Amino acid sequence: MDKVLSVGEAIERFVPDGAGLVAVGGMHLQNNPMALVREMVRQYRHVTRLLTSPCGALNADLLVAAGLVEQIATSYVGFEHLGLAPAFRRAVEAGVLRVLECDEAYITHGLSAGAGGLPFVALPAGLEFADVWKANTESYCLVTDPFTGRKVLAGAPLAPDVALLHAAAADAAGNAVLAGAHFVDRSMALAAKTVVLQVERVVPTDQLSRQAVGTTIPGFLVQAVVEAPGGCHPTASHGHYRVDEAHLRRYLSLAASADGALSYLEEFVRGVTEQDYLRSVQAGASVGGEL
Amino acid sequence: MDKVLSVGEAIERFVPDGAGLVAVGGMHLQNNPMALVREMVRQYRHVTRLLTSPCGALNADLLVAAGLVEQIATSYVGFEHLGLAPAFRRAVEAGVLRVLECDEAYITHGLSAGAGGLPFVALPAGLEFADVWKANTESYCLVTDPFTGRKVLAGAPLAPDVALLHAAAADAAGNAVLAGAHFVDRSMALAAKTVVLQVERVVPTDQLSRQAVGTTIPGFLVQAVVEAPGGCHPTASHGHYRVDEAHLRRYLSLAASADGALSYLEEFVRGVTEQDYLRSVQAGASVGGEL
Amino acid sequence: MNGGAATPPSGWATGELMAVELARQLRNDDVAVMGTASAIPQVACGLARATHSPDLWFVAGGACGVNPHLAPTVASCCDEELLRSDTVLPLGDVVLLEGRGDVFTVFFAGGLQIDAYGNCNLVAVGDWARPALRGPGTVGLPFLSRVGRVLIYSLSHNPRTFVERVDFLGGPGFLDGPGSWVEAGLPGGGPAAVVTPLCTMDFDQATLRMRLRSVHPGVDVAQVVEATGFELVMPDQVTQTAAPTSEELAVVRRLDSSGVLKGR
Amino acid sequence: MNGGAATPPSGWATGELMAVELARQLRNDDVAVMGTASAIPQVACGLARATHSPDLWFVAGGACGVNPHLAPTVASCCDEELLRSDTVLPLGDVVLLEGRGDVFTVFFAGGLQIDAYGNCNLVAVGDWARPALRGPGTVGLPFLSRVGRVLIYSLSHNPRTFVERVDFLGGPGFLDGPGSWVEAGLPGGGPAAVVTPLCTMDFDQATLRMRLRSVHPGVDVAQVVEATGFELVMPDQVTQTAAPTSEELAVVRRLDSSGVLKGR
């Protein structure tokens, strides 16, 4: 049961153009599955609805910059201390990207609901005082707590059709181990119908950390494994390399205009293979690290 | 902020007689916090409502045998391949122990709801075809899924007043690390108002495993730490020692009658200190192991 | 518990035969899950992986090792040995996935009572409020409504275990039969097979009642009928369960080197 | 973003002063949580632990290190460095505990807009559906309704940030003031203090509107009034924020050895 594919094959076989709900893993400037995201751009894979972790970054902005995202379900897209997300901001302000406004609690618990077949998730009292649910009546509504009679907020389950995720390592059967922080990546894997993993390296099964409960993704949830050392660049890969802030600043500066964004895409994504990209940015030079 | 107490002090200070909802950690024959449970028996601490993990064993049966439990919320009390739980069985058949019949999904997700301040948890469609909820209308009821209009099962949050838990090690501030399988012990810690931990050893903070996301309990959730090497005996302590089946069989044989149960309690619990107990059963002889 | 068991006519224990017979119900694309005291289904899955279904996945619920190495097989489903496995999940995640419904294709089940429609009861015999026999509880059996195929196994085969109707429905089988089953629209596929010390059964497509499929070596049909507290559907031809092959037994004994299935 | 910031009149950076001033709002029994780009509150908590509140706990949300060692402080709240800490929680557990409401006693917040009642907005300026400025999103700010004390900090202090009413209510403060606040019966205690490059503010008990408490060294009241887009409640006496002591600055610089708070 060898699930190891090239990045091109993995996207071609497992992410249809116009896929329904596509989740991208990683959070803020860490563990973004950029090799998979770049390949989505190369293959012009449109996404009907993109779901980020509580905090999306380049994983979302690059797909938006490429014009591939129709709707986005998120509670944050930005670059933290480096600034706002240029393509996301431009697309929303221009009215060409529909936002399904979410908050962190809903994304986190909604993914659990998706993983668990829970029909919906009832959210803590008080969250309804934020305007979020009023802006997103598709994902949220009010429900009466049957135990107290109080009106509380309910969220619909989040069950991605596809999750694009990064892990430190996996075996050929798709058993994967996460390094560092996990964010909601494991939840996305549990909730998604199809999981495409990029990893720093493919390893034999017996090298996976077995007893660390909760640090792994079992292979029966995974459809494809892509060996992509350096593949989170320019974001960080926990256990392997830090964020490349200089490259991110270059992206932010270019993507500040629509034309600039296109030239970034041409220079760093569409015009180059993943191997060439990594060589050009010298990513993965320090790849190694322990699981 | 030194939270290390003797087992006697910990129960005396943090578990009032007649406590509302008391959760006992561990599952089946593993990681039962028996040092704490035995001390509950020694101090005649009555429990209004005892909550087990999805599968309780000696942790519940001993408290029932001692006549300390008024109600029990559980989805299983038994000794697996060794047989039924004698005291639990006798008390329920005699009508002196009220059972809040639960299933594994409700205990697991209900604890998450307790930890998360979720007003209730909506359970997967289909679970309502089991009779469980009809036997426990206090914990379960039907609710209309606001997104589909379908009737589904809802469970009330499980937020223990006290959780009695075992961990492999903790520092004096209550930061704890779990070894082996975690069952729902971390969920109990997250959901409980007061957490009393027994550990194989108290260690300096810098010996705790820091980067293993999800294997720890942070000290701000913990009120008391009891160093109790061998304290899971006769159940197993993952990472430290195996189950003592001979002793469990002896318990099962004695506790098959009410009188026998009392003589077990006298010989192994009330009549002896924890130190004497461990010496008499030679538990903890092999205690050591790595975190 | 083994009151109704056949004396093994040759060199295998009842538990070993049952593991072999359960393994034959498994497929290469299965993802199986099991719970309490599940040494038999664990060995069944290990055997399937070692023979006809190398890509089968199984999760030993409790400890939640994924494809535990069973070196050796252990009696408690929460034993630390089960963490010697390809990966390990937290219990909470396994419970989530049981609810998701489209992940696990096989769920091993059992009970103090098992009825003609494959409903299981591990809670109480008699009136729930004041039971004649209080069982341990239902654990994850309500999830039977959501999985692909339910494989039921029981070390007891007698009229107290195999009853017309469970006193407490803890694990949904085909409920009250065809009408109720269709109306319920459960996401799962329902019970697929039942393996006991005497025989292997499945379910009649029309009535959804339990049907005898094969009697184990050394057992005759009359014994099964007598040991069953309801009227079994009888096929035109009752076959004999194939004895474990020497290859099957060799694998079983490699996995169960300490003899848990032999009751050691 | 620093448009309204005072030029530091002596040897400390604005971010350093803000961390020091936030630390002064913390207590020994606090359990604090913070999110995106939270180097300033992280250093504030580290400083509090190193000085007056050794038993304070803090969780650097994102990576979710508990009492991260800040050696050194990092800019991204998800940076792996934050796992160098006493313990680490999974993000999902921190999100659960934020909802539990009685665990975290301090929540650090901010926004593109902060209004007179301490409501925060990180989502959109203008009409949500077609915003003049689309912000990143609200992340965990809706939880502000459930924690003990909300400590707001902002690197911008100008009339675009400090507005009479947020365009989008992402993080509930005192809502529309006393009536609405009481009626809502929120479990949290509401906003407690606001620290900016110019001043420290709190909230008037009667009106629940933001009130000037102290101006930072080198800043005068008129500057604050001009930089604020709503009418600030003025106390009888506006004090001057105490300058960071040399001990405070030494700790800050030990924790932030790479100078993140200096904008390096």
Side-chain angles (χ1 to χ4, degrees):
Chain A
M1 196 168 30
D2 191 336
K3 297 173 180 173
V4 179
L5 295 174
S6 72
V7 67
E9 289 169 317
I11 297 301
E12 195 174 324
R13 287 179 49 184
F14 290 103
V15 191
D17 188 39
L21 181 66
V22 176
V24 281
M27 189 153 145
H28 279 307
L29 309 177
Q30 323 287 326
N31 293 4
N32 287 206
M34 292 311 303
L36 301 178
V37 167
R38 280 186 287 266
E39 189 62 23
M40 293 279 287
V41 173
R42 287 189 198 101
Q43 294 193 25
Y44 292 89
R45 286 298 200 256
H46 292 80
V47 172
T48 303
R49 189 173 284 184
L50 187 70
L51 171 67
T52 71
S53 80
C55 296
L58 186 63
N59 48 6
D61 208 57
L62 198 75
L63 290 170
V64 172
L68 295 172
V69 182
E70 190 177 319
Q71 305 170 14
I72 186 167
T74 188
S75 64
Y76 181 104
V77 184
F79 288 76
E80 243 185 322
H81 57 294
L82 303 179
L84 298 174
F88 169 72
R89 178 186 169 183
R90 187 165 51 245
V92 179
E93 291 172 6
V96 298
L97 174 64
R98 180 178 165 213
V99 180
L100 287 142
E101 199 74 47
C102 299
D103 73 309
E104 183 170 30
Y106 168 55
I107 289 184
T108 308
H109 301 329
L111 282 168
S112 287
L118 309 182
F120 64 95
V121 58
L123 295 165
L127 296 198
E128 70 276 15
F129 285 97
D131 285 341
V132 178
W133 70 279
K134 296 174 197 160
N136 180 4
T137 53
E138 188 172 331
S139 305
Y140 296 93
C141 65
L142 291 175
V143 67
T144 302
D145 177 348
F147 296 98
T148 63
R150 177 171 180 163
K151 285 270 177 199
V152 295
L153 213 49
L158 290 167
D161 295 296
V162 180
L164 307 176
L165 302 174
H166 166 78
D171 66 14
N175 295 304
V177 58
L178 304 179
H182 303 169
F183 310 121
V184 295
D185 289 354
R186 291 187 68 259
S187 292
M188 285 178 170
L190 293 168
K193 288 179 196 66
T194 296
V195 173
V196 180
L197 271 187
Q198 67 166 53
V199 297
E200 296 294 342
R201 24 178 201 170
V202 175
V203 299
T205 301
D206 62 12
Q207 276 185 34
L208 293 170
S209 159
R210 273 157 278 173
Q211 297 212 18
V213 177
T215 68
T216 55
I217 294 172
F220 61 79
L221 295 175
V222 173
Q223 277 64 43
V225 174
V226 174
E227 192 167 51
C232 294
H233 184 275
T235 72
S237 169
H238 279 197
H240 293 85
Y241 42 88
R242 308 292 300 271
V243 63
D244 183 346
E245 288 205 2
H247 187 97
L248 282 172
R249 288 186 202 277
R250 188 160 170 199
Y251 170 78
L252 292 175
S253 148
L254 280 168
S257 75
D259 284 351
L262 290 178
S263 64
Y264 178 91
L265 289 171
E266 186 52 35
E267 182 178 354
F268 293 104
V269 187
R270 285 191 175 131
V272 292
T273 65
E274 191 63 18
Q275 286 74 10
D276 288 343
Y277 167 79
L278 292 173
R279 212 170 296 130
S280 75
V281 297
Q282 296 194 290
S286 65
V287 170
E290 284 308 298
L291 289 188
Chain B
M1 197 167 33
D2 190 337
K3 298 172 180 172
V4 179
L5 295 173
S6 72
V7 67
E9 289 170 317
I11 298 300
E12 196 175 323
R13 287 180 49 185
F14 289 105
V15 192
D17 188 40
L21 181 65
V22 176
V24 282
M27 190 153 146
H28 280 307
L29 309 178
Q30 323 287 327
N31 293 3
N32 288 206
M34 291 312 302
L36 301 178
V37 168
R38 280 187 287 267
E39 188 62 23
M40 294 280 286
V41 173
R42 286 189 199 100
Q43 296 193 24
Y44 291 88
R45 286 300 200 258
H46 292 80
V47 172
T48 303
R49 188 172 284 182
L50 187 70
L51 172 67
T52 72
S53 79
C55 296
L58 187 62
N59 49 5
D61 208 57
L62 198 76
L63 290 170
V64 172
L68 296 172
V69 182
E70 190 178 319
Q71 305 170 14
I72 186 167
T74 189
S75 65
Y76 180 104
V77 184
F79 288 76
E80 243 183 323
H81 57 294
L82 303 180
L84 298 173
F88 169 73
R89 179 187 169 183
R90 186 164 53 245
V92 178
E93 290 172 8
V96 298
L97 175 64
R98 180 177 167 215
V99 180
L100 287 140
E101 199 72 49
C102 299
D103 72 309
E104 183 169 30
Y106 168 55
I107 289 185
T108 308
H109 302 328
L111 281 168
S112 288
L118 310 182
F120 65 95
V121 58
L123 294 166
L127 296 198
E128 70 278 13
F129 285 96
D131 285 341
V132 179
W133 70 279
K134 295 173 197 159
N136 180 4
T137 53
E138 187 173 331
S139 305
Y140 295 93
C141 65
L142 290 175
V143 68
T144 302
D145 177 348
F147 295 99
T148 64
R150 178 171 180 164
K151 285 269 178 199
V152 295
L153 214 48
L158 290 168
D161 294 297
V162 180
L164 306 176
L165 303 174
H166 166 78
D171 65 14
N175 296 303
V177 59
L178 304 179
H182 304 168
F183 311 120
V184 294
D185 289 354
R186 291 188 69 258
S187 292
M188 285 179 170
L190 293 169
K193 288 178 195 68
T194 296
V195 174
V196 180
L197 270 188
Q198 68 167 52
V199 298
E200 297 294 341
R201 26 179 200 169
V202 174
V203 298
T205 301
D206 61 12
Q207 277 186 33
L208 293 170
S209 160
R210 273 157 279 173
Q211 296 212 18
V213 177
T215 68
T216 55
I217 293 172
F220 60 80
L221 295 174
V222 173
Q223 276 64 44
V225 174
V226 174
E227 193 168 51
C232 293
H233 184 275
T235 71
S237 169
H238 279 197
H240 293 86
Y241 42 88
R242 307 292 300 269
V243 64
D244 183 346
E245 289 205 1
H247 187 97
L248 282 172
R249 286 185 203 278
R250 189 160 171 198
Y251 170 78
L252 293 174
S253 151
L254 280 169
S257 74
D259 284 350
L262 290 178
S263 63
Y264 178 91
L265 288 171
E266 185 52 35
E267 182 179 353
F268 292 105
V269 187
R270 285 190 175 130
V272 292
T273 63
E274 191 63 20
Q275 287 75 10
D276 288 342
Y277 168 79
L278 293 174
R279 212 170 296 129
S280 75
V281 297
Q282 296 194 289
S286 65
V287 171
E290 283 308 300
L291 289 189
Chain C
M1 294 277 281
N2 248 341
T7 309
S10 66
W12 59 80
T14 300
E16 293 177 326
L17 172 65
M18 288 174 64
V20 168
E21 186 62 359
L22 283 167
R24 293 168 180 158
Q25 320 298 320
L26 298 171
R27 302 192 301 236
N28 194 44
D29 58 353
D30 275 330
V31 183
V33 68
M34 58 214 62
T36 297
S38 48
I40 290 175
Q42 282 167 31
V43 172
C45 289
L47 172 59
R49 276 174 57 86
T51 54
H52 56 78
S53 296
D55 297 334
L56 172 141
W57 297 87
F58 69 112
V59 179
C64 299
V66 178
N67 296 346
H69 300 164
L70 305 182
T73 295
V74 286
S76 170
C77 76
C78 290
D79 197 292
E80 193 175 359
E81 281 294 320
L82 291 166
L83 303 180
R84 306 208 308 156
S85 55
D86 287 357
T87 53
V88 178
L89 284 170
L91 175 64
D93 286 358
V94 172
V95 175
L96 283 172
L97 292 176
E98 287 176 337
R100 193 178 129 171
D102 60 347
V103 171
F104 296 120
T105 61
V106 169
F107 196 120
F108 289 94
L112 291 169
Q113 292 182 327
I114 298 156
D115 76 16
Y117 293 108
N119 301 301
C120 296
N121 169 23
L122 195 60
V123 170
V125 175
D127 176 36
W128 174 83
R130 196 64 187 271
L133 169 62
R134 170 67 210 197
T138 207
V139 208
L141 289 180
F143 278 128
L144 297 192
S145 61
R146 292 188 67 82
V147 287
R149 312 194 313 283
V150 177
L151 297 182
I152 298 171
Y153 69 107
S154 172
L155 282 167
S156 304
H157 193 150
N158 61 51
R160 293 184 310 282
T161 302
F162 284 84
V163 296
E164 175 61 34
R165 175 68 190 185
V166 288
D167 293 336
F168 185 100
L169 202 167
F174 290 119
L175 304 175
D176 294 313
S180 65
W181 169 254
V182 169
E183 196 186 323
L186 297 185
V194 184
V195 175
T196 77
L198 300 181
C199 63
T200 297
M201 296 168 280
D202 58 13
F203 290 83
D204 178 61
Q205 293 291 305
T207 63
L208 300 180
R209 285 177 66 94
M210 210 178 287
R211 176 175 63 183
L212 184 58
R213 194 161 77 195
S214 69
V215 291
H216 297 341
V219 178
D220 64 32
V221 172
Q223 263 180 282
V224 173
V225 168
E226 196 179 349
T228 306
F230 55 84
E231 197 176 338
L232 269 174
V233 177
M234 285 293 166
D236 295 340
Q237 181 90 31
V238 178
T239 58
Q240 184 175 298
T241 307
T245 65
S246 55
E247 189 208 356
E248 286 168 336
L249 272 184
V251 174
V252 164
R253 285 166 188 178
R254 176 169 57 77
L255 298 175
D256 181 28
S257 57
S258 59
V260 172
L261 266 49
K262 293 178 179 165
R264 275 186 205 150
Chain D
M1 292 278 279
N2 249 340
T7 307
S10 65
W12 60 78
T14 300
E16 293 177 325
L17 172 65
M18 288 174 65
V20 168
E21 186 62 358
L22 284 167
R24 293 166 180 159
Q25 321 297 319
L26 298 171
R27 302 192 302 236
N28 195 45
D29 59 353
D30 275 330
V31 182
V33 67
M34 59 214 64
T36 297
S38 49
I40 289 175
Q42 282 169 31
V43 172
C45 289
L47 172 59
R49 275 174 59 84
T51 54
H52 55 78
S53 295
D55 297 335
L56 172 142
W57 297 87
F58 69 111
V59 180
C64 299
V66 178
N67 296 345
H69 299 163
L70 305 181
T73 295
V74 286
S76 170
C77 76
C78 290
D79 196 292
E80 194 176 357
E81 281 294 321
L82 291 166
L83 303 180
R84 308 210 305 157
S85 55
D86 287 357
T87 54
V88 178
L89 285 169
L91 176 64
D93 285 358
V94 173
V95 176
L96 283 172
L97 292 176
E98 287 176 336
R100 192 177 131 171
D102 60 346
V103 171
F104 295 120
T105 62
V106 168
F107 197 120
F108 289 94
L112 292 169
Q113 293 182 326
I114 299 157
D115 76 16
Y117 293 108
N119 301 302
C120 296
N121 168 23
L122 195 59
V123 170
V125 174
D127 176 37
W128 174 82
R130 196 64 187 272
L133 168 62
R134 170 67 209 198
T138 205
V139 208
L141 290 180
F143 278 128
L144 296 192
S145 61
R146 291 187 68 82
V147 288
R149 313 195 310 285
V150 177
L151 297 182
I152 298 171
Y153 68 106
S154 172
L155 283 166
S156 304
H157 193 150
N158 61 51
R160 292 184 310 282
T161 302
F162 283 84
V163 296
E164 175 61 33
R165 175 69 189 185
V166 287
D167 292 336
F168 185 98
L169 202 168
F174 290 118
L175 305 175
D176 293 313
S180 64
W181 169 254
V182 170
E183 197 186 322
L186 297 185
V194 184
V195 174
T196 77
L198 300 182
C199 63
T200 297
M201 296 168 281
D202 57 14
F203 291 83
D204 178 62
Q205 293 291 305
T207 63
L208 299 180
R209 284 178 68 95
M210 209 178 288
R211 175 175 65 183
L212 184 58
R213 193 162 77 195
S214 68
V215 290
H216 295 341
V219 178
D220 64 33
V221 173
Q223 262 180 283
V224 173
V225 168
E226 196 179 350
T228 306
F230 55 84
E231 197 176 339
L232 268 176
V233 177
M234 284 294 164
D236 295 342
Q237 181 91 30
V238 178
T239 58
Q240 185 176 297
T241 308
T245 66
S246 57
E247 189 208 355
E248 286 168 336
L249 271 184
V251 174
V252 164
R253 284 166 188 178
R254 175 169 58 77
L255 298 175
D256 181 28
S257 59
S258 60
V260 172
L261 267 50
K262 293 178 178 165
R264 275 185 206 152

